[in-house]
Amino acid sequence: MSPTEKTQTFTASRWTKGNRIFRTKISVSPVQVIKTKRSWFSSDEESINIRHISSVRIKTGVLWSDIWIESSGGTNQIYSHGHTKRDAQRIKQMVEDHQRSFKEGAFSDSTDTRKCPHCAETIKADAKVCRFCNREL
């Protein structure tokens, strides 16, 4: 399955400020999160790689939710308002799931792994030195 098949797009409501004519869209894929905001003559896109997302914050009002997707890579955060609470929670869940699957797939090449007896991190079975705590095994 390609990354585009796993991409899901969430669109803000027309009833919120700044979304009446051109609505904000947030697309979440296994690789990145993209915020797209169109205007009459252009389109503005912001993206953050899934590996660089440090947190997803949701502020829920009576009807709509605000979403902040913050980066650890030095780029600006992605901010969007006017999404339903369900969409905001789904965006957060998808980001966390993609980050988890990326971390679990880090050792997909070699299935021979073990836990370091000193720091309990997952390392390759043939390792002589732990790459996390730098102790000999």
Side-chain angles (χ1 to χ4, degrees):
M1 189 177 278
S2 71
T4 55
E5 292 175 13
K6 292 182 180 181
T7 301
Q8 190 168 353
T9 302
F10 302 90
T11 306
S13 171
R14 286 196 193 278
W15 292 95
T16 57
K17 183 180 178 182
N19 290 315
R20 287 185 180 36
I21 297 173
F22 300 108
R23 301 192 294 175
T24 302
K25 295 181 180 182
I26 294 182
S27 300
V28 181
S29 75
V31 178
Q32 63 187 349
V33 175
I34 301 172
K35 174 190 165 190
T36 306
K37 181 69 175 173
R38 291 191 49 227
S39 65
W40 289 107
F41 300 107
S42 65
S43 178
D44 184 28
E45 262 188 24
E46 297 177 61
S47 67
I48 299 178
N49 190 299
I50 284 289
R51 294 180 293 171
H52 297 157
I53 294 175
S54 62
S55 67
V56 179
R57 190 167 45 119
I58 300 171
K59 180 181 178 186
T60 303
V62 175
L63 296 174
W64 312 115
S65 295
D66 297 339
I67 304 167
W68 288 268
I69 302 172
E70 298 171 345
S71 169
S72 62
T75 60
N76 294 334
Q77 67 184 4
I78 290 178
Y79 170 74
S80 182
H81 66 281
H83 295 274
T84 63
K85 181 179 179 181
R86 178 182 290 164
D87 282 353
Q89 289 173 335
R90 181 74 181 126
I91 290 169
K92 182 176 183 176
Q93 185 63 46
M94 286 183 71
V95 167
E96 291 171 352
D97 290 346
H98 290 319
Q99 286 180 322
R100 193 175 307 109
S101 66
F102 178 79
K103 288 177 183 173
E104 289 171 357
F107 292 106
S108 60
D109 304 11
S110 76
T111 56
D112 299 332
T113 60
R114 63 179 172 152
K115 297 267 185 196
C116 172
H118 305 288
C119 67
E121 290 288 343
T122 304
I123 57 173
K124 293 183 180 180
D126 297 336
K128 307 237 185 296
V129 175
C130 175
R131 68 186 188 110
F132 296 100
C133 65
N134 292 324
R135 292 186 177 168
E136 276 192 42
L137 304 170

